[in-house]
Amino acid sequence: VQIYSLHVDCKVTSRFAHTVITSRIVNRANESREATFEVELPKTAFITNFSMSIDGEVYPGIIKEKAAAQNEYDSAVSQGQSAGLVKITDRKLEQFHVSVSIAAASKVTFELTYEELLKRQLGKYELLIKVRPKQLVKHFQIDVHIFEPQGIHFLETDSTFMTNELSEALTKEQNETKAHILFKPTLDQQKKNSELDETLLNGDFVVRYDVKREATAGDIQIVNGYFVHYFAPQEMPVFPKNVIFVIDRSGSMTGRKIEQTRDALLKILQDLRQEDHFSFITFNHKVVEWKSSLLPATEDNVASAAALVQTLAARGGTHISGALLAAVGMLDKHEGLPERSVSMIILLTDGQPTSGERNVEVIQENVQKAINGKYALFCLGFGFDVSYKFLEKMALSNGGIARRIYENADAALQLQGFYQEVATPILMQIEMQYPENSIEGLTKNNFKLFFEGSEIIVSGKISNELDLLPVEIKAQSHTSNLTLKEEANVKEKEQVFQNQRYIFGNFIERLWAYLTIQQLLEKAISAQEEDQKALEAQALDLSLRYSFVTPLTSMVVTKPQQQEELANKPTEAG
């Protein structure tokens, strides 16, 4: 069974990426064989379409409500056979896998489409394409077209498998607002060596870029009555941080995990700014405060904290509740923290609560009551023995985020990377205001914190014939309270995307739907049960209307002989 053509075609328009992967396979054997299509796609993406055509007959994937699809499927298949077509494979990726039996000399074409909104982190957007054909492919091609009306500030490609030979197959064309990256290696360039038919193409192909930013109040783009507003201020003074690291040193952290935690914390200590205040709380079945209050991040204090970190050893139970409440108490009673500063608690744990209060719902409630909106809580779950659902709900209920740290060689880098994302808060209490009576379906428009290098995105539908769309942004910076104003001329903005040959349909409307679904699902995590149902119903309605495979929908893939399989969206919380 030979893949004779594999094409990855990706169009990124104003951060919204639309990727189509087409694989053409022929069975050169003289009997029927299994043809497999396997694609790894970013977890943040939603699959929107899949089809296979066998000898000219097309078998499309149909997106349905998950429960309904499951019922149909269960009645068609005896229990215990549903393998599911999508599974999480690593920190950033999930894998879509389908195989079908094709007759001798037959051809099959698989086509998968997925979409995602690229998220700005540490000053850049990253488009990740996983390349793993597992065989030499006669016609292999990756095309990435980028159109950014704000202008492309820088653009780079990076790959884990590139050789001098292969880099000759890579070309990059770029002007002010557009770029085209083409990677088209010949059979010879793909080979590990001339004798063996083994492929070099195995790993990540990454495009990173950022856009130019002129306007202080961000950039507004409009297509067919839907708008998106990007806001990423630069060069602003950084808020001093008051940060308490709450570190699990229970028995399960023994060995590599505690070593990687030590490595990461030593680097993070070096990154603290002079004006920051910090402290450590470590816990197993006992909760130990390093000092009774937060200390300024002077050279001496940092050195003395580093000495403590070096001695961290793991044994005993897991008293998550006591440790978090101690951290909140320490922030509550600390006098003399800088008046305009950002307070945060960073929890790192690898297990379930086994000491003190063990009921996760009670812990969530107590922590939320204690924090009471004053501080942000970030929860890092190390490995797969944590209850990620519990950590995620706790973080989202307290103005932070949760992240799973994968137990790989780069775990220390994952921890440091996370810290860098939250290390430089430059705005707080950000409100993005639009004319109330002219905008429908506005996505989230107030944000607790803005970190340098990230981006705020708000989208909505302009409901009546507006000529000008006024926006006002209110926020607190370290030195002052800001009000920024901007007016977008609707007709002019609509012109930008006219006659662009690679704009796919109503991309801002799809971007709006993608963002709305993600925010509804996130909100549902920390909502009460009745609200949760209503939020999920809204998200389901949009997922079906715009045909996205989300955690609430399934794609039913029908094969010849009426076999059916399901593609579901996995989530980090399982």
Side-chain angles (χ1 to χ4, degrees):
V1 174
Q2 184 191 13
I3 302 173
Y4 62 92
S5 160
L6 185 59
H7 189 194
V8 179
D9 184 33
C10 182
K11 297 176 173 38
V12 184
T13 307
S14 186
R15 351 275 202 257
F16 195 61
H18 174 93
T19 303
V20 182
I21 297 179
T22 311
S23 173
R24 300 177 197 278
I25 295 178
V26 59
N27 178 6
R28 298 208 184 279
N30 48 14
E31 57 189 12
S32 61
R33 289 280 162 88
E34 199 82 340
T36 299
F37 177 67
E38 203 173 78
V39 170
E40 287 181 273
L41 61 144
K43 286 178 182 174
T44 42
F46 290 151
I47 290 172
T48 66
N49 209 340
F50 170 73
S51 69
M52 53 189 172
S53 54
I54 302 170
D55 296 334
E57 179 144 355
V58 179
Y59 298 86
I62 311 284
I63 294 175
K64 299 185 174 178
E65 181 189 355
K66 198 174 194 172
Q70 193 64 48
N71 289 343
E72 273 179 44
Y73 181 67
D74 286 343
S75 59
V77 176
S78 64
Q79 290 293 358
Q81 284 188 348
S82 76
L85 301 175
V86 190
K87 61 175 195 290
I88 287 181
T89 49
D90 80 359
R91 192 157 61 95
K92 292 183 176 175
L93 297 163
E94 59 194 35
Q95 182 194 70
F96 177 89
H97 174 111
V98 70
S99 47
V100 61
S101 173
I102 54 170
S106 279
K107 289 181 174 177
V108 56
T109 299
F110 295 104
E111 187 176 278
L112 179 75
T113 306
Y114 60 84
E115 292 179 339
E116 66 174 321
L117 182 56
L118 301 181
K119 193 174 167 197
R120 188 166 183 255
Q121 280 178 318
L122 303 175
K124 46 185 174 276
Y125 306 99
E126 180 177 288
L127 178 74
L128 170 60
I129 296 169
K130 192 77 178 178
V131 178
R132 196 180 289 168
K134 296 183 179 166
Q135 55 172 269
L136 299 173
V137 178
K138 189 174 179 187
H139 302 286
F140 180 94
Q141 185 169 336
I142 296 177
D143 274 292
V144 178
H145 287 275
I146 297 173
F147 174 48
E148 286 290 351
Q150 282 170 266
I152 296 170
H153 171 53
F154 79 88
L155 174 75
E156 61 184 31
T157 57
D158 190 9
S159 151
T160 54
F161 52 77
M162 212 45 90
T163 59
N164 289 342
E165 296 275 276
L166 277 174
S167 60
E168 289 169 17
L170 180 66
T171 56
K172 198 162 79 171
E173 292 171 27
Q174 187 183 340
N175 64 20
E176 189 68 20
T177 57
K178 297 191 190 81
H180 176 209
I181 291 157
L182 172 65
F183 179 54
K184 196 175 176 179
T186 62
L187 278 173
D188 282 344
Q189 287 170 322
Q190 293 172 42
K191 284 184 183 178
K192 273 193 179 165
N193 62 38
S194 49
E195 281 77 66
L196 295 175
D197 280 354
E198 277 182 48
T199 177
L200 284 163
L201 304 183
N202 182 2
D204 299 346
F205 184 82
V206 183
V207 179
R208 294 189 190 92
Y209 73 94
D210 197 16
V211 301
K212 294 179 176 164
R213 292 181 174 77
E214 316 268 302
T216 48
D219 189 76
I220 292 173
Q221 297 172 20
I222 302 172
V223 171
N224 295 342
Y226 283 81
F227 80 90
V228 60
H229 183 185
Y230 296 108
F231 180 54
Q234 287 159 300
E235 291 159 24
M236 296 192 104
V238 176
F239 278 104
K241 297 189 296 300
N242 316 308
V243 57
I244 299 183
F245 297 97
V246 181
I247 306 297
D248 184 341
R249 55 182 174 88
S250 61
S252 54
M253 287 284 288
T254 308
R256 202 160 162 217
K257 283 190 203 164
I258 200 85
E259 279 167 33
Q260 290 173 318
T261 301
R262 284 199 298 256
D263 291 349
L265 288 172
L266 291 171
K267 298 262 182 3
I268 287 169
L269 283 169
Q270 297 309 312
D271 286 344
L272 287 170
R273 297 165 181 267
Q274 288 258 304
E275 58 275 16
D276 290 342
H277 285 71
F278 76 107
S279 194
F280 275 96
I281 291 176
T282 62
F283 67 96
N284 48 18
H285 47 280
K286 293 208 290 283
V287 174
V288 178
E289 297 183 2
W290 170 54
K291 301 284 188 218
S292 56
S293 64
L294 289 96
L295 299 183
T298 60
E299 217 168 302
D300 288 354
N301 287 338
V302 166
S304 122
L308 161 90
V309 168
Q310 297 281 18
T311 65
L312 272 183
R315 64 180 79 84
T318 312
H319 197 344
I320 292 178
S321 170
L324 283 175
L325 294 174
V328 177
M330 193 184 283
L331 282 167
D332 280 347
K333 67 173 198 283
H334 194 95
E335 312 273 306
L337 289 175
E339 194 170 306
R340 274 183 183 254
S341 61
V342 170
S343 296
M344 53 175 82
I345 297 167
I346 298 179
L347 167 71
L348 172 68
T349 178
D350 78 331
Q352 318 271 3
T354 60
S355 307
E357 180 56 67
R358 291 175 198 184
N359 179 325
V360 291
E361 272 147 24
V362 175
I363 298 176
Q364 278 160 354
E365 218 167 285
N366 292 344
V367 168
Q368 194 171 349
K369 215 177 278 173
I371 289 181
N372 195 13
K374 298 177 296 233
Y375 320 125
L377 171 62
F378 297 95
C379 295
L380 303 177
F382 207 142
F384 281 85
D385 297 330
V386 290
S387 165
Y388 190 79
K389 235 183 183 137
F390 157 62
L391 295 180
E392 189 173 38
K393 182 170 181 176
M394 208 157 48
L396 291 172
S397 308
N398 294 291
I401 57 172
R403 192 63 70 77
R404 193 189 294 279
I405 302 297
Y406 277 66
E407 288 182 56
N408 302 340
D410 71 344
L413 287 171
Q414 292 176 54
L415 288 165
Q416 270 166 265
F418 171 79
Y419 174 75
Q420 281 167 348
E421 283 175 51
V422 299
T424 44
I426 55 175
L427 290 178
M428 55 200 285
Q429 312 304 348
I430 305 112
E431 282 180 48
M432 316 278 283
Q433 298 172 343
Y434 308 87
E436 260 172 44
N437 48 5
S438 340
I439 300 293
E440 286 171 31
L442 190 65
T443 60
K444 179 177 165 148
N445 67 327
N446 50 11
F447 303 85
K448 263 195 158 144
L449 292 170
F450 175 79
F451 298 101
E452 192 172 59
S454 66
E455 180 168 59
I456 284 175
I457 303 178
V458 181
S459 182
K461 185 180 179 185
I462 302 169
S463 51
N464 49 21
E465 295 295 301
L466 272 190
D467 296 327
L468 292 174
L469 173 63
V471 301
E472 183 169 293
I473 302 172
K474 288 189 153 74
Q476 296 173 13
S477 82
H478 178 39
T479 47
S480 62
N481 290 349
L482 302 175
T483 303
L484 306 169
K485 291 183 180 179
E486 180 74 59
E487 263 189 344
N489 180 317
V490 176
K491 292 245 181 332
E492 269 175 33
K493 289 286 181 187
E494 290 257 14
Q495 280 314 128
V496 174
F497 292 101
Q498 296 307 326
N499 58 44
Q500 285 298 338
R501 67 189 162 84
Y502 45 55
I503 302 307
F504 43 97
N506 307 338
F507 87 95
I508 293 187
E509 185 177 344
R510 293 193 68 78
L511 182 159
W512 166 82
Y514 171 99
L515 192 58
T516 305
I517 292 166
Q518 285 217 321
Q519 291 178 356
L520 288 166
L521 292 172
E522 193 169 285
K523 221 167 154 182
I525 290 168
S526 55
Q528 300 301 321
E529 203 170 324
E530 316 70 90
D531 299 340
Q532 204 168 11
K533 289 207 166 31
L535 293 163
E536 285 180 351
Q538 269 176 282
L540 171 63
D541 179 52
L542 283 173
S543 302
L544 292 169
R545 190 163 7 136
Y546 290 94
S547 83
F548 284 128
V549 178
T550 68
L552 303 171
T553 51
S554 279
M555 184 162 66
V556 181
V557 175
T558 306
K559 298 178 177 182
Q561 285 96 43
Q562 303 304 304
Q563 272 180 298
E564 286 191 353
E565 289 194 76
L566 292 188
N568 293 328
K569 171 98 182 143
T571 63
E572 197 61 77

